[in-house]
Amino acid sequence: MGSLSCSHFAIFPFLSQGHTIPLLYLSRLLRRRSVVVTLFTTAGNSQSIRASLQDIDVSIIELPFPQNIDGVPPGVENTDKLSFGSSFLPFARATEQMRESFEKALETLQPPVSCVVSDSFLWWTLKSAQKIGVPRLSFFGMGNFSATMYQILGRFSPHAGVDSVDEHFPMTDFPEVKLTRNDFDPPFGDFNPSGPFVDFMMGNLIALSMSDGLLVNSFYELESRYADYWNKNLGPKAWNIGPLCLAAEISKSESAGYPQWLDEKLEKREPVLYVSFGTQAEISPEQFLEIAQGLEKSEVSFLWALKSKDLNFLPEFESRVKGRGLVAKEWVDQLKILQHEGVKGFLSHCGWNSVMESISAGVPILSMPFMAEQHMNARFVAEEVGVGLRIMPRGGTVRGHVAAEEVEMKVRELMGGGKVAEEVRKRVAEWGGAAHVSMKEGGSSWRTLDLLIDGVTGKSG
């Protein structure tokens, strides 16, 4: 392990909370192994990153973010403040204008950089790493199952000849996995997907294929079949080094309101369902209303982290569920909530970070996906590893409007003591235990990270 002290990782997360947070956890893991870490971001993102890493020695370099981008409001430097549909692409493409300042900074760093770790959406960093002759490791932010299914669809077209978007077809090399075109985010379920977003993703995938590895926020035991398949048939090599959330420092800060409320619920032995749909999903007011009605009718205690404004049903809803339900409109510490002994379920959009956090905390998931690869994650949660249940839209499709009755029924099923709920709780407890073992010294993710650091040091040295 003596060679590790000269390793220097340059880490560049995409400018989005869900993409940044796992790489901040990775920074902690690397520092614990005496690796030098320099993290790149912009002035608009730096304050929250500095606050998150204030207790560890990580250099943070602010690069100027491009100005006057068509389609992006002035001053916005994080996708959480954007409309995903209309502004994401111009925002993501504009990051390439940061390349010159990134490369100048890379060349001056001491000790010399051993490798560049960057989000896959920052495709252009491959050329920056090649310019200084170091490996580039890509971070995609999704699990092995989802990444593999998307690659199989693109390479082998198992959906060819399937007319309906809701008709099941077997996946190439995984005939027991039956998916629909609707499980893939539009337009990727089309036979010949095209358009600016497809072009953008193809650029990312080409850069990924030319990179030296893919960092995966998962652990080998959870997705071994798909990790093995990826490494044998797809590539570049996937390094499973998660769940990265287990590197988080436990927050000592107490925010007013919800922690005390959760403690009171625990004392009364009233299990709580945590409800959150992340920061990027664009959900209609009508769908929010159905969710609210389902939660109200379920008679289950819940904590709903809800950042959406202008929902006119909220005041009446809050007064009707007072005592049993709490709507938190400020920022909440999701990890801390999931680790609370009284939280017994998570109604989630199934973003991969949330899936990893929930499994690590041993909390079963009620999946209600909206965008990106969330539908694939929902399949994984309910059908592959059995750590949760799936809320389904009307009409036998996986994509569309979800009725209040479905929310109510599935909430009752997950939070009740029935046979299905018991099996799900048993499975998530087992996988949660395995997640912790993987991250401890000698565990699979621990060993993988050691091998990765040694390999990078050898390449750059």
Side-chain angles (χ1 to χ4, degrees), residues 108-423:
T108 61
L109 289 177
Q110 291 298 327
V113 169
S114 310
C115 80
V116 170
V117 173
S118 74
D119 195 285
S120 287
F121 285 167
L122 304 174
W123 75 98
W124 47 269
T125 57
L126 171 68
K127 292 173 182 169
S128 305
Q130 289 171 337
K131 191 173 177 184
I132 61 168
V134 299
R136 183 239 187 180
L137 302 170
S138 184
F139 177 73
F140 224 165
M142 62 169 76
N144 299 281
F145 174 75
S146 296
T148 300
M149 292 303 126
Y150 268 89
Q151 284 280 44
I152 286 175
L153 190 86
R155 292 188 186 205
F156 305 119
S157 302
H159 58 324
V162 174
D163 294 326
S164 163
V165 290
D166 293 313
E167 185 182 338
H168 286 85
F169 55 86
M171 293 300 285
T172 308
D173 294 332
F174 295 97
E176 74 288 356
V177 177
K178 293 185 170 52
L179 301 176
T180 70
R181 286 164 54 197
N182 252 339
D183 283 303
F184 297 88
D185 207 40
F188 295 100
D190 295 351
F191 300 124
N192 293 297
S194 61
F197 188 65
V198 175
D199 295 341
F200 171 72
M201 289 305 295
M202 284 309 298
N204 293 330
L205 290 170
I206 289 164
L208 170 63
S209 70
M210 298 167 69
S211 297
D212 297 85
L214 173 67
L215 301 185
V216 185
N217 181 16
S218 187
F219 57 106
Y220 176 74
E221 292 79 3
L222 185 72
E223 305 185 88
S224 56
R225 289 180 68 212
Y226 306 103
D228 288 343
Y229 182 88
W230 179 280
N231 285 334
K232 188 178 173 189
N233 301 289
L234 299 171
K237 181 174 171 60
W239 300 82
N240 283 269
I241 54 170
L244 292 168
C245 61
L246 290 178
E249 292 294 296
I250 299 300
S251 166
K252 308 270 193 312
S253 65
E254 285 292 329
S255 39
Y258 71 85
Q260 185 185 345
W261 184 84
L262 286 173
D263 291 342
E264 288 167 4
K265 287 287 173 192
L266 181 60
E267 279 175 30
K268 293 177 185 170
R269 299 191 174 180
E270 295 174 8
V272 173
L273 175 72
Y274 171 57
V275 184
S276 175
F277 302 109
T279 52
Q280 296 285 193
E282 291 172 9
I283 306 170
S284 70
E286 294 77 19
Q287 183 62 84
F288 270 128
L289 179 58
E290 296 281 346
I291 294 165
Q293 289 174 346
L295 289 171
E296 185 178 344
K297 290 175 183 171
S298 73
E299 299 181 347
V300 164
S301 294
F302 62 88
L303 168 60
W304 190 356
L306 182 59
K307 292 193 180 71
S308 288
K309 308 278 191 294
D310 307 321
L311 293 173
N312 57 19
F313 66 82
L314 260 184
E316 293 84 357
F317 170 72
E318 286 182 275
S319 66
R320 287 197 305 270
V321 298
K322 195 169 176 151
R324 178 167 66 80
L326 181 67
V327 178
K329 300 184 190 81
E330 80 281 10
W331 178 86
V332 300
D333 187 335
Q334 178 163 297
L335 263 181
K336 198 169 181 179
I337 290 170
L338 289 169
Q339 288 163 357
H340 194 283
E341 199 184 333
V343 173
K344 301 297 184 185
F346 182 10
L347 172 48
S348 169
H349 61 307
C350 258
W352 189 246
N353 289 337
S354 291
V355 171
M356 283 289 97
E357 289 172 9
S358 209
I359 289 175
S360 300
V363 174
I365 301 165
L366 193 50
S367 307
M368 189 172 172
F370 292 96
M371 58 179 284
E373 93 288 5
Q374 293 165 11
H375 285 80
M376 206 62 66
N377 295 342
R379 288 265 188 203
F380 181 76
V381 160
E383 297 170 19
E384 289 288 315
V385 288
V387 296
L389 305 176
R390 177 82 181 264
I391 286 182
M392 296 299 280
R394 291 189 177 107
T397 180
V398 295
R399 203 174 282 273
H401 192 75
V402 171
E405 295 75 24
E406 170 76 357
V407 175
E408 176 193 355
M409 182 178 74
K410 286 292 167 58
V411 166
R412 284 175 181 265
E413 187 175 11
L414 184 75
M415 299 299 283
K419 193 174 178 185
V420 173
E422 275 181 27
E423 181 58 30

